[in-house]
Amino acid sequence: MDCIDLGLIPADMPWGKLSPVAGDAAYQFIKTATGLAMAGKVQAICTAPLNKEALHAGGHKYPGHTEMLAALTNTPEVSMMLTAPKLRVIHVTTHIGIIDAIKKIEPGLVERVITRGYEVLEKAKLPRKKIGVCGINPHAGENGLFGYGEEEQKIVPAVKACRAKGWDVEGPLPADTLFFRAGRGDFDMVVAMYHDQGHGPVKVLGLEAGVNITVGLPVIRTSVDHGTAFDIAGKGIVDERSMLEAIRAAIDLAAR
């Protein structure tokens, strides 16, 4: 296996300790990989977990990989998609607080995310492309009973616009039952409104099987769906199955 060593990690770097040196190195590794992909020298990028606190300590103020890759490729907007054996979830918002997420959600953004999700299903050549869209509030607002009309104002116009294109899009639906239905095969993709709404169900299905895919980039990027696990770093006991799934997904997407 080819290896590009940037020589940024000191030999005496301790395992599992927050380090600005390691945070900067993580950024440089991603920057180098992105440059290779943009130049066509590699066909995909598969990333390991990133410690956001270390990244910030190293001088790079990104919420995570997704936003960093968007900046490095000059892509104005991307989406995070998590996949598990029985579930695909694309997110309208990701690494922001719940109050900020609700403010950010608007019909145009929701429509663009649904569109990116639909394009993924098309590239996968699925015979059926059925998309379920989560509501924001419990019971998807239950006709205004919960919340302040967010579903009607922020989500319904986007769903109507996508249905007008002939797409099989349903929502906004209560997230709890939507994920149950998607898990049994009623939907090919779920559109989650915020980070934990989408991440929770995927991780319940098993961290070892989840893959994170950045949708909308000019390059292919996959990753694990878990964090850095500093508490077990260097002990040789990590479960590598999510990393293997992410590598397999990158290979599969590159082949397509």
Side-chain angles (χ1 to χ4, degrees):
M1 183 161 54
D2 294 330
C3 179
I4 300 172
D5 186 354
L6 300 185
L8 299 175
I9 302 297
D12 60 351
M13 175 75 74
W15 289 100
K17 302 291 184 184
L18 189 73
S19 165
V21 173
D24 175 60
Y27 172 80
Q28 301 302 335
F29 298 151
I30 297 300
K31 183 179 178 181
T32 300
T34 303
L36 290 168
M38 292 292 282
K41 294 181 179 179
V42 298
Q43 283 68 56
I45 301 169
C46 182
T47 63
L50 179 70
N51 186 285
K52 280 85 169 176
E53 192 176 352
L55 181 72
H56 289 193
H60 307 287
K61 307 297 184 182
Y62 296 99
H65 272 121
T66 306
E67 296 80 7
M68 187 196 312
L69 286 158
L72 289 170
T73 59
N74 294 314
T75 306
E77 190 174 272
V78 296
S79 296
M80 176 187 291
M81 186 173 79
L82 298 183
T83 66
K86 293 185 176 181
L87 196 61
R88 298 180 188 87
V89 184
I90 193 166
H91 294 68
V92 174
T93 65
T94 49
H95 296 118
I96 55 177
I98 186 68
I99 293 174
D100 293 328
I102 293 170
K103 289 180 181 177
K104 185 175 180 179
I105 296 166
E106 50 87 18
L109 175 59
V110 175
E111 183 180 350
R112 293 192 299 275
V113 173
I114 296 172
T115 300
R116 281 191 281 272
Y118 186 86
E119 289 170 352
V120 168
L121 298 178
E122 274 199 321
K123 288 177 183 176
K125 294 182 168 57
L126 293 186
R128 183 190 72 169
K129 292 173 274 291
K130 187 171 181 61
I131 298 175
V133 182
C134 292
I136 296 172
N137 295 295
H139 302 190
E142 201 159 307
N143 298 316
L145 191 62
F146 304 116
Y148 299 92
E150 288 88 355
E151 280 75 18
E152 193 67 32
Q153 298 165 17
K154 296 171 176 284
I155 302 174
V156 169
V159 171
K160 286 181 176 178
C162 291
R163 289 177 68 88
K165 300 173 188 177
W167 299 350
D168 191 355
V169 181
E170 188 177 340
L173 298 169
D176 49 2
T177 51
L178 172 54
F179 279 106
F180 168 76
R181 293 175 62 195
R184 73 181 182 188
D186 292 0
F187 294 90
D188 300 298
M189 180 174 287
V190 173
V191 179
M193 291 296 124
Y194 52 88
H195 185 282
D196 285 14
Q197 187 181 57
H199 278 58
V202 173
K203 293 189 177 183
V204 165
L205 293 174
L207 286 170
E208 73 282 354
V211 176
N212 178 352
I213 302 170
T214 306
V215 181
L217 291 172
V219 298
I220 293 167
R221 180 263 174 162
T222 68
S223 188
V224 297
D225 72 342
H226 58 72
T228 46
F230 273 11
D231 57 320
I232 59 171
K235 296 181 180 179
I237 59 173
V238 68
D239 186 333
E240 77 282 8
R241 286 177 290 176
S242 181
M243 191 77 209
L244 291 172
E245 288 298 324
I247 293 170
R248 291 188 186 104
I251 293 168
D252 181 60
L253 289 167
R256 294 180 189 276

